[in-house]
Amino acid sequence: MQRRRDERGAVALFVALSLALLMLVTAFAVDLGMQRVARRDAQAIADVVSLDMARELDGRAKSAYSGAALDRAFAASLARNEDGLGARPADYSYELGRLDATGSFESIGAGDTATAVKVTAVGSVGYLFTGGRGDVTRSAVSTSDQSACIRIGSFLASLDTSQSALLNPILSALFGSAVNLTAVSYQGLAGATVSLLDLVQVPGLGVGTVDELLELPAVEVADLFIASATVLDRQGKAVQADVLRALAATVGTPTVSVADLLGVQGTPQAALAASLNVLDLVTGAAYLVNDGRTVNVPNLGLGLPGAVVTSTRLTIVEPTQGACLGVNDSVETAQVRLDLTARVNGASVSVLGSTVTVEPMDLSLSVDLGKAVATLLGVECRPSGPDAVRVRVRSALVGAISLSATTRLTASIGVPLGDSLIGPILNLLGLGSLLRPPSLVLDAPVSISGRSAAGGFDKTLALPLPGSYQVPQGSGSGVLLTVPNIAVTSATTLDLRYWDPGVLGIGAQYRTQRVLDTAPLFGSVVNPVLSAVTGSVLTPIVTVLQNALVLPLARLLGVQLGGADVFAVPTPTCRAPRLRQ
């Protein structure tokens, strides 16, 4: 009988060897885990301390800061956040600097402006099982950002009872449906505001924070209007709320982004507390619905005394803009062109003692209200908060006017002896034929063209707070239209009309003779006539256009000659710490 082999105890030996290996691996894992936790703690503390230190930055040069004050702030922040593993307070250091073009931290000289702070932790953690120590090196970079929301070319710039006639066709063209509000309704919307935080608290939008609201890619315009109406109801502004609900019923179901509506760039801190003027919300949503395309608004219903307006067209190339900006970010305002054609009634003008007849005139007028750009330069701060917003406003091609017209001038210029005392005397002397003195007959088909050059503008403005939330700051001449410089082309003919008494009265008749050398007469006859036409016909038309349409339109869009109206939007941020690295 074969004896069985005894293998008892082999498993125990294998288990013992495995346990030893597992204990060694566990020791390494624990030590490496401690090092990892230490690095995480050090990173968290560096992040928090760098944010705290960024709050100390206020736009001064590095040498202007008190080292002792910064050290105290640094020590206080570490004391609040010292419950970390692996790095003691003494292992932390900080440095003032700035971000380079790639977004990396760089050191600066004493005279350079400090816009960023870097906090570095260099420490170590002792290993429990394997002996020795593990390095813990972490860093964090934070900046102190200034940001503000502004509106340039706002619909709130000026509203009067005449402007509903302008806003109704503009909004109807943008929404693609009829909008018909009274001037009182527009004024009510212009005086109401809703904040983003107010909108977040309305259940219908389905968001819980302002960030979530700004991240929504598409919100139905009707839902946004209804949510805003709910906010207005809570504010006790039921009339304005009803106007928004009426608009919501007509706009259909297009969608917009709230971030696009605010013009948010990089989600600056100021956007989180921004308020929307309700009229700007309506008009801004209308432009976004139109997807930035050129908007043509025909038949503005303009009436001109002494003229029949045959067509008017308002072309809005870009919407008016509001934006929440960081320092050196920019926003542009609208580019608008007004085209008008009219048939001007004829008139008679007294020139050089004779009557000049001006036949009906066909007039074409184009006005460019142009574009303006506002750049945020910074926020002026006091211990109590923001005091002013500094912006640079630049504009070009604002106020350009082009005019063309065709008409015809006719005149008979002579000496009316018959109506003077000389007439009776000549009759008594038998010289009555002299009562028919020669006269000059002017026939001038005239083409008139004119252009007023655009104004340029570049200026830094300070928007005082809180005044500029409601009252715009801007600059410009205040006059949008002047009579353009006129250039005239004319195939003028000048004939001499005289009485031929014939022979013994036989064959007596008026005869005409073309005056060949008319150049000397242009200065004394033609030019005064054309100057009279310009003064008596064109000037009143341009003045009426300025008062009846262009000035209200410009105020509506916030555009001035050579400038633009700029509003601040509550509430700018003076020192918003932002973790960068």
Side-chain angles (χ1 to χ4, degrees):
M1 181 175 172
Q2 187 177 4
R3 186 178 179 181
R4 296 181 59 186
R5 188 175 178 181
D6 188 1
E7 294 183 353
R8 287 178 297 177
V11 174
L13 178 62
F14 177 76
V15 170
L17 293 173
S18 298
L19 286 175
L21 180 60
L22 288 173
M23 290 178 64
L24 180 63
V25 171
T26 301
F28 276 112
V30 170
D31 286 343
L32 292 175
M34 287 182 61
Q35 185 181 25
R36 183 178 181 84
V37 170
R39 289 179 176 177
R40 185 191 63 190
D41 289 353
Q43 184 67 64
I45 294 174
D47 290 347
V48 174
V49 174
S50 69
L51 288 170
D52 286 343
M53 293 300 294
R55 291 184 174 90
E56 302 297 319
L57 303 180
D58 55 11
R60 291 179 290 168
K62 181 178 179 179
S63 59
Y65 292 94
S66 168
L70 291 177
D71 290 342
R72 287 194 297 270
F74 184 64
S77 180
L78 284 173
R80 292 192 299 267
N81 303 283
E82 63 179 354
D83 297 333
L85 178 66
R88 301 164 301 170
D91 296 328
Y92 290 86
S93 62
Y94 70 91
E95 179 186 5
L96 302 187
R98 65 188 175 198
L99 299 183
D100 62 17
T102 65
S104 300
F105 181 84
E106 66 176 0
S107 301
I108 59 174
D112 295 327
T113 301
T115 58
V117 60
K118 181 177 182 179
V119 174
T120 303
V122 180
S124 63
V125 61
Y127 293 141
L128 295 178
F129 298 102
T130 59
R133 305 186 65 83
D135 293 335
V136 176
T137 302
R138 284 292 181 267
S139 66
V141 176
S142 293
T143 58
S144 178
D145 295 345
Q146 293 181 339
S147 61
C149 299
I150 62 174
R151 291 180 285 125
I152 180 170
S154 170
F155 279 82
L156 187 58
S158 176
L159 282 172
D160 58 39
T161 56
S162 68
Q163 292 181 353
S164 62
L166 295 175
L167 277 173
N168 280 335
I170 290 173
L171 292 182
S172 295
L174 289 167
F175 278 124
S177 60
V179 174
N180 189 17
L181 299 181
T182 64
V184 174
S185 297
Y186 285 120
Q187 291 169 345
L189 295 180
T193 59
V194 295
S195 71
L196 296 189
L197 187 58
D198 290 334
L199 291 175
V200 166
Q201 297 172 355
V202 176
L205 296 179
V207 293
T209 66
V210 174
D211 282 325
E212 291 179 358
L213 179 61
L214 292 175
E215 291 172 359
L216 285 178
V219 178
E220 288 193 5
V221 173
D223 291 342
L224 183 60
F225 286 178
I226 292 172
S228 300
T230 302
V231 172
L232 293 177
D233 280 333
R234 294 173 180 174
Q235 296 175 358
K237 298 179 179 179
V239 175
Q240 292 89 333
D242 290 341
V243 172
L244 278 185
R245 291 190 182 94
L247 282 173
T250 64
V251 298
T253 59
T255 61
V256 297
S257 163
V258 176
D260 290 341
L261 191 61
L262 270 175
V264 174
Q265 301 180 15
T267 317
Q269 188 73 22
L272 302 181
S275 295
L276 286 168
N277 173 269
V278 177
L279 184 54
D280 287 341
L281 181 150
V282 170
T283 55
Y287 281 114
L288 290 176
V289 166
N290 198 61
D291 197 23
R293 294 185 295 271
T294 298
V295 180
N296 291 321
V297 183
N299 303 324
L300 291 176
L302 175 68
L304 293 177
V308 177
V309 178
T310 55
S311 69
T312 59
R313 182 171 294 274
L314 180 67
T315 303
I316 304 174
V317 179
E318 296 174 349
T320 57
Q321 291 290 337
C324 295
L325 308 172
V327 174
N328 295 324
D329 289 336
S330 300
V331 59
E332 298 180 351
T333 191
Q335 186 175 15
V336 180
R337 182 179 179 88
L338 170 67
D339 295 294
L340 176 145
T341 59
R343 179 79 169 175
V344 182
N345 298 333
S348 296
V349 181
S350 178
V351 178
L352 301 178
S354 298
T355 300
V356 179
T357 301
V358 183
E359 294 185 359
M361 179 188 304
D362 294 316
L363 173 70
S364 296
L365 179 69
S366 296
V367 181
D368 291 328
L369 297 184
K371 179 182 290 186
V373 181
T375 302
L376 179 65
L377 300 180
V379 182
E380 297 177 4
C381 299
R382 296 182 181 273
S384 58
D387 184 60
V389 176
R390 291 184 298 110
V391 297
R392 179 185 181 189
V393 180
R394 292 165 294 168
S395 64
L397 297 178
V398 179
I401 307 168
S402 61
L403 177 147
S404 63
T406 58
T407 186
R408 190 181 193 93
L409 308 180
T410 58
S412 178
I413 303 172
V415 180
L417 299 178
D419 294 333
S420 65
L421 293 176
I422 299 176
I425 296 175
L426 293 176
N427 283 325
L428 289 175
L429 296 175
L431 301 175
S433 62
L434 295 179
L435 292 175
R436 300 186 180 93
S439 62
L440 292 173
V441 178
L442 176 72
D443 184 10
V446 178
S447 296
I448 302 172
S449 63
R451 185 162 184 83
S452 177
F457 179 74
D458 190 339
K459 187 176 181 180
T460 298
L461 303 175
L463 312 182
L465 304 178
S468 61
Y469 293 148
Q470 298 297 329
V471 180
Q473 301 295 311
S475 184
S477 69
V479 179
L480 280 166
L481 288 179
T482 57
V483 176
N485 296 323
I486 301 297
V488 178
T489 58
S490 173
T492 303
T493 61
L494 191 63
D495 295 330
L496 177 64
R497 188 171 185 267
Y498 62 94
W499 176 257
D500 182 359
V503 179
L504 301 176
I506 300 173
Q509 61 179 324
Y510 276 104
R511 298 183 184 274
T512 60
Q513 178 67 44
R514 177 65 48 87
V515 178
L516 298 179
D517 187 11
T518 58
L521 296 173
F522 281 174
S524 60
V525 177
V526 178
N527 287 346
V529 169
L530 297 181
S531 297
V533 172
T534 302
S536 65
V537 179
L538 297 183
T539 300
I541 290 175
V542 172
T543 301
V544 169
L545 282 174
Q546 175 170 308
N547 296 331
L549 180 62
V550 179
L551 283 176
L553 174 65
R555 289 195 298 265
L556 187 70
L557 299 174
V559 178
Q560 301 182 64
L561 177 61
D565 289 326
V566 185
F567 290 79
V569 175
T571 302
T573 300
C574 288
R575 301 186 187 103
R578 184 176 179 183
L579 189 63
R580 297 286 188 169
Q581 300 174 10

